[in-house]
Amino acid sequence: MQKQNSNSISEKAEALVFTNAELDSPGKKHEIGAGQVILYSKRSPHKQTENEDSLGVFILGEHDCAIAVADGMGGMPCGAQASKIIIESLQRAFADATESEFGYREPMLNGIDKASEQIISLGVGAGSTVAAIEICNNVLRSYHAGDSMVLVVGQKGKIKLQTIPHSPVGYAIESGYLDEEEALHHDYRHVISNYIGYAEMRIEIGSPIKLARYDTVLIASDGLFDNIHVNEITEIIRKNSLQTVSQQLVTLCDKRMRHEEPGYPSKPDDVAFVLFRRSR
């Protein structure tokens, strides 16, 4: 089954957008900028309510692009609406964007800021995380708030970037108090300290990273990283084509969500991810 609401996917020359999507398998591979991209989003197998994750790919000329994944917070009202607001706000911000000496930082930050203001104005306490990147002249820069993540993996499996979740557990991993295995089972793993729609929201901006040919970028909601270890993800990326990577991530994540196995994580949740691989 491949279904989505009537407004969930728009494919134009400048954008690919999914909101409230229900995909049984990853979408087709698209050629954008200097690489290829595959998108996927589906609600948790343990719920009947709408998918609260949204994502967008924004084409910024012949070689450049921006990508964002937003995860509406399920413990708060209007999560699906909050994530949709972020992606649509970024789509508007990038519609007429031009490269500056700072790449596409201005439209990225403006789009997120305006989305946060709009979410706050709903007046219901809604919120969403976001993980986003811009790629300008094959240089990547990340932006995030919350626990959706960006992972950049080289052709041989080396991790070139792994963003730190804005949460007590995320900071504990970074400081060495917890390892990733302990963190996956920690009682407070999903307590976050920063998100879009929070009055004191902040956007963490990463350092620029030059992408080499065949580097792979994964931008995903926590539904993926809560069910597959990062070292498993890097092995899948290292060994396979982009289409095979996307299918193996979907298959393994769905299996883990549906069936608990000793020693492996299992947390049913909505999942959205975008895979980008530089091909030229």
Side-chain angles (χ1 to χ4, degrees), residues 2-193:
Q2 302 271 112
K3 70 176 185 178
Q4 57 273 333
N5 66 28
S6 59
N7 297 317
S8 66
I9 177 170
S10 64
E11 183 173 342
K12 303 177 182 179
E14 70 276 8
L16 300 162
V17 172
F18 283 75
T19 65
N20 192 21
E22 277 293 292
L23 304 178
D24 283 339
S25 60
K28 67 179 182 179
K29 181 172 63 178
H30 301 271
E31 299 286 340
I32 65 165
Q36 303 166 334
V37 68
I38 293 179
L39 303 83
Y40 176 79
S41 187
K42 190 174 184 179
R43 70 184 177 190
S44 166
H46 287 201
K47 75 175 193 178
Q48 296 300 315
T49 53
E50 61 189 337
N51 182 356
E52 294 176 299
D53 289 358
S54 299
L55 54 83
V57 176
F58 312 103
I59 315 302
L60 304 173
E62 184 178 357
H63 301 293
D64 303 339
C65 67
I67 302 170
V69 171
D71 179 357
M73 295 167 66
M76 303 166 78
C78 300
Q81 185 177 359
S83 71
K84 182 179 180 181
I85 285 171
I86 293 171
I87 299 303
E88 291 182 344
S89 180
L90 286 170
Q91 186 174 11
R92 290 190 294 271
F94 284 121
D96 300 312
T98 56
E99 179 189 350
S100 73
E101 62 178 311
F102 301 109
Y104 296 93
R105 184 186 305 182
E106 183 175 355
M108 178 74 79
L109 295 178
N110 286 346
I112 294 173
D113 280 341
K114 289 180 180 178
S116 192
E117 292 172 2
Q118 188 176 346
I119 292 168
I120 290 171
S121 72
L122 295 175
V124 295
S128 174
T129 69
V130 69
I133 63 164
E134 58 158 300
I135 299 174
C136 180
N137 298 317
N138 287 321
V139 175
L140 176 146
R141 192 182 292 272
S142 65
Y143 303 78
H144 80 284
D147 58 359
S148 294
M149 287 173 53
V150 178
L151 184 69
V152 181
V153 181
Q155 185 181 8
K156 295 182 179 180
K158 178 183 177 181
I159 294 177
K160 296 186 174 183
L161 171 68
Q162 181 179 345
T163 56
I164 301 168
H166 293 153
S167 67
V169 169
Y171 297 136
I173 295 172
E174 177 64 13
S175 62
Y177 286 106
L178 287 175
D179 62 31
E180 291 192 356
E181 175 68 27
E182 293 171 321
L184 280 170
H185 303 283
H186 198 282
D187 290 342
Y188 296 107
R189 177 173 175 81
H190 300 288
V191 176
I192 62 174
S193 56

